[in-house]
Amino acid sequence: MSSTVHAPRGVLADLGPIQQLRAGSLGRRIPQLLVGLVLYGVSLGLMVRGALGLAPWDVLHSGFIRHVPMTLGQAVILFSFVVLLLWIPLREKPGIGTVANAFLVGLSADVTLALLGEPGAWSARIALMVGGVVLNGLATALYIGSQLGRGPRDGLMTGLARRTGLSLRLVRTVLEVSVVVIGLLLGGVLGVGTVLYALAIGPLAQVMLPWVVVQLPVRAGSAGNPVGRDPAG
């Protein structure tokens, strides 16, 4: 017979979609999720306006929209659902955060781009690039810390890592290099911001996640994923 206990501080509980909703603290978790996803889209918009390089997946998005009549945010939404189709053979389970991620990031990115012009001064562009990366780290920590489901691209990485037995770091590297290459072939935007993002986003999210992770109950004897550790080894 299993019992329910609280996970130690700094632990991400491994819960299914229904368990995520039943775990409580929704009055904090849902607003935190929404704020995190909106800020994620804002951070994307900041990096675009900085024009010094985009995050790996956004290199792909920016290349794709050069060939189709879509906004960047619409491309983010489209590719989110394409990636979710790849969850099916991997048997990944989406949460409400997964679906919200698919919509809100793209929508908030488009709003940010509509409100923010591209500056001419290098100092302003650098500030937008650096600010976008830091804000993305905070946004990532907020939405992951709400414990309401992985984003589509994160779920693809963790699902592939689990199914192949490869480390999460290796799977992430292969995926991100692949989408960058495809994005470049399509005419996507690559620059110093891409390198900065690749080097900084992991450490930033690792530092910030313990600040905002919501402690949830887990079943006694089950293992959560300690914050900042690679769940795939």
Side-chain angles (χ1 to χ4, degrees):
M1 179 176 179
S2 62
S3 60
T4 300
V5 298
H6 282 284
R9 183 174 178 79
V11 168
L12 295 176
D14 186 14
L15 303 177
I18 302 302
Q19 291 173 309
Q20 290 168 9
L21 293 174
R22 290 177 175 174
S25 301
L26 293 180
R28 172 184 170 184
R29 292 166 62 211
I30 290 178
Q32 179 174 315
L33 168 72
L34 298 178
V35 169
L37 294 179
V38 169
L39 291 181
Y40 199 106
V42 172
S43 72
L44 191 165
L46 294 181
M47 291 190 69
V48 170
R49 289 299 184 233
L52 292 172
L54 300 175
W57 280 93
D58 296 322
V59 175
L60 173 60
H61 303 146
S62 66
F64 179 76
I65 64 174
R66 294 174 69 92
H67 305 277
V68 295
M70 300 180 73
T71 66
L72 184 68
Q74 289 168 348
V76 171
I77 295 171
L78 173 64
F79 274 90
S80 293
F81 283 98
V82 170
V83 170
L84 282 176
L85 292 177
L86 300 177
W87 281 35
I88 297 173
L90 297 175
R91 298 182 181 178
E92 285 289 291
K93 297 178 180 179
I96 63 169
T98 308
V99 179
N101 184 301
F103 285 106
L104 286 182
V105 172
L107 291 174
S108 62
D110 274 351
V111 170
T112 302
L113 292 171
L115 296 175
L116 185 64
E118 183 176 320
W122 273 95
S123 58
R125 293 172 62 188
I126 292 171
L128 286 174
M129 176 192 69
V130 174
V133 172
V134 173
L135 183 60
N136 190 276
L138 175 60
T140 299
L142 284 169
Y143 95 75
I144 290 177
S146 71
Q147 307 216 54
L148 284 166
R150 302 180 182 93
R153 294 155 187 81
D154 292 333
L156 176 62
M157 287 186 282
T158 56
L160 285 172
R162 189 184 68 252
R163 298 285 286 183
T164 63
L166 300 174
S167 74
L168 188 62
R169 294 179 184 88
L170 177 58
V171 171
R172 176 172 182 165
T173 299
V174 171
L175 276 176
E176 294 191 346
V177 168
S178 299
V179 297
V180 165
V181 170
I182 296 171
L184 287 176
L185 292 175
L186 294 173
V189 179
L190 178 71
V192 65
T194 309
V195 178
L196 177 63
Y197 183 94
L199 294 176
I201 193 62
L204 283 172
Q206 181 173 340
V207 167
M208 295 176 178
L209 189 54
W211 304 345
V212 295
V213 66
V214 181
Q215 183 181 1
L216 296 181
V218 296
R219 292 191 179 280
S222 66
N225 292 326
V227 169
R229 292 186 56 185
D230 183 345

